[in-house]
Amino acid sequence: MKKGELRKQEIQEKMAKHILTNGLQSGSLRSLAQAAGTSDRMLLHYYQDKEELMTEVLTQISDNLITILEQARTVPIPFNQLVPHLYQLIKNPVVKPYIQLWLELIARASKKEEPYYSIAKQIGNSFIQYCSELIQADDEEKEKLAPLTFIIVEGIAMLDAIDFEPNINKALEGFSDFQK
Amino acid sequence: MKKGELRKQEIQEKMAKHILTNGLQSGSLRSLAQAAGTSDRMLLHYYQDKEELMTEVLTQISDNLITILEQARTVPIPFNQLVPHLYQLIKNPVVKPYIQLWLELIARASKKEEPYYSIAKQIGNSFIQYCSELIQADDEEKEKLAPLTFIIVEGIAMLDAIDFEPNINKALEGFSDFQK
DNA sequence: TTAATTATGTAGCAAGTGCTACATTTTTGT
DNA sequence: ACAAAAATGTAGCACTTGCTACATAATTAA
C-alpha cells in the first residue's frame, strides 16, 4: 500500500498538468495515460472508471488553484479596487489556464453533466468565499459584493476568451466612473 | 437548383433546432442527420465538410437570436435598469437555450478552435452592439457601458448555469446599492 | 427525348472512445 | 520462503467519429 499510493499521486499530478494545459476535451483515457507515462489499463486500475478519475483530477486542480490564490492574497481592499486586481490576476500566465478550464467546466456543468456540475458548484463557492475574504466591507455588504465580484470577473474572463481586451478596458473605465 | 436549395434550408433549420436543444456536444453528423430526417451522407452532399456545416448552422442560430432580441427590444433605458432587464431576458425559456449554447461556444473559442472562435467573436460584437442600442446615455458613455453590461450579463449567465440564483440576486442588490 | 446534373442509398474504412478478459510479473505481509 | 495481493502487459470488443467509394434513381436543361 506504500508504493502504489505514491505512484498514483505521481500519475495524478501529471494528468492534472495535462488537463490544465490541454483542456477537458483532450482528456481521453489514452491521452491521459500517455501524458502520465502509463497505460489506460493502469488508469482503470487506480480508478474505478473515468468519472472517478475526472473527479479526483479536477478536485486536485481545484486545490492547486486555491493554493495559488492564497499565495497571491493581499490584505482586504475596497470593492472598486478588487475588480481590477482580480483582472490582473486572471491575466497572469500561471492562473490563465485555470480560467480557461473553468470555462470548459461551466459549459458542461450547465447541462448538469456529472461530475462536472458538482465540481463546478464547489469551485464556484470557493471563489465567492475567496472574494468575500478580500473585500474590505462589513459582513452584510460582503454578502452582496462577493457574488458581484465573481460575476464581473467571470464576465471579463469570457470577453478575454475571445480577445476582447479593448472592450474589457472600456468596461473597467465605465466601472470606475460609477463609483463616484 | 430549386428543390435542392429549399431542402437544404429545411434540413438546416432542423439541425439548428437540434443543436439549440442538445448542444454542440451532440452535434455529430449522424445525430444531426437523424434530427433532420436525412443521412450523414446527405449532409456531406450539401456541405463540404463538418466545419462548413457548423459555420452555417451556428450562423443561422445566431441570426435567429438576433431576431428574437429585436422583438424583445424596448426603448433605451438607463444602465442600472438595463442589467435587471437583461437578466429577465436570459431567464426566458425561449432565450435560455441560446445562452447555454453561448457558454459552450465560448469554451471552444477560448482555445481558438475554428469555426467557433470566429463565430463567437461575431456574436460577441452583435451583443455589445445590441446593449449599446438599449442604453440611454451619450455615445462616449455607451462605449464604456455596453461592454460592462455584456460582462455582467455573461457573468450572471455563468452563475445561472450552476444554479446560483441566490448569489445572483444578492449581487443585483449590491449592484443597485452602488448606483447611489 | 436525351444527356448531363443532382439526389440518395448502401457499405465501409481508419481512427478514437471507455472498458474488459486473461494472463504474468512484482511487491508485500507473514 | 511462501502465499496473498497488487501492478502491469497484451488483445480485444462494441461503439462512435468524420468521411469516402461506388452505385442507382430522380430531376433538369438541351
Side-chain angles (χ1 to χ4, degrees), chain B residues 122-134:
Chain B
Q122 184 193 311
I123 296 177
N125 279 319
S126 296
F127 200 75
I128 288 180
Q129 171 72 20
Y130 179 73
C131 290
S132 178
E133 287 166 11
L134 283 186

Side-chain angles (χ1 to χ4, degrees), chain B residues 35-90:
Chain B
T38 180
S39 65
D40 57 334
R41 169 67 185 73
M42 283 312 293
L43 293 184
L44 291 171
H45 176 68
Y46 289 119
Y47 308 87
Q48 194 165 12
D49 54 22
K50 204 199 169 182
E51 181 169 334
E52 188 186 292
L53 186 155
M54 285 312 280
T55 303
E56 296 197 23
V57 171
L58 289 175
T59 301
Q60 166 153 351
I61 291 176
S62 157
D63 290 346
N64 291 350
L65 176 59
I66 289 173
T67 304
I68 292 174
L69 293 181
E70 290 303 325
Q71 283 168 355
R73 176 191 287 287
T74 65
V75 292
I77 53 183
F79 171 67
N80 60 343
Q81 287 174 40
L82 181 56
V83 169
H85 172 259
L86 290 176
Y87 176 42
Q88 289 307 313
L89 189 59
I90 67 174

Side-chain angles (χ1 to χ4, degrees), chain A residues 23 28 30 34 48-49 61 103 105 110 113-114 121 129 136 147 158 160:
Chain A
S28 75
R30 281 170 177 84
Q34 189 180 358
Q48 195 166 13
D49 54 22
I61 291 176
L103 294 178
L105 211 52
S110 79
E113 194 184 335
E114 290 295 354
K121 289 192 106 165
Q129 171 71 20
Q136 194 181 65
M158 288 183 77
D160 192 54

Side-chain angles (χ1 to χ4, degrees), chain B residues 90-127:
Chain B
I90 67 174
K91 281 204 298 190
N92 183 317
V94 176
V95 178
K96 201 158 182 175
Y98 290 90
I99 305 300
Q100 209 162 314
L101 186 58
W102 172 243
L103 294 179
E104 255 187 297
L105 210 52
I106 283 282
R108 303 198 182 203
S110 79
K111 303 186 177 158
K112 321 300 174 204
E113 194 183 336
E114 290 295 354
Y116 309 106
Y117 180 69
S118 304
I119 294 177
K121 289 193 105 164
Q122 184 193 311
I123 296 177
N125 279 319
S126 296
F127 200 75

Side-chain angles (χ1 to χ4, degrees), chain A residues 128-148:
Chain A
I128 289 180
Q129 171 71 20
Y130 179 74
C131 290
S132 177
E133 288 166 11
L134 283 187
I135 294 174
Q136 194 181 65
D138 59 57
D139 284 1
E140 196 188 348
E141 238 177 344
K142 274 184 183 176
E143 220 170 300
K144 301 174 185 174
L145 294 182
L148 183 55

Side-chain angles (χ1 to χ4, degrees), chain B residues 142-160:
Chain B
K142 273 184 183 176
E143 220 170 301
K144 301 173 184 175
L145 295 182
L148 182 55
T149 306
F150 189 35
I151 283 173
I152 294 175
V153 171
E154 287 196 293
I156 289 176
M158 288 182 78
L159 285 224
D160 191 55

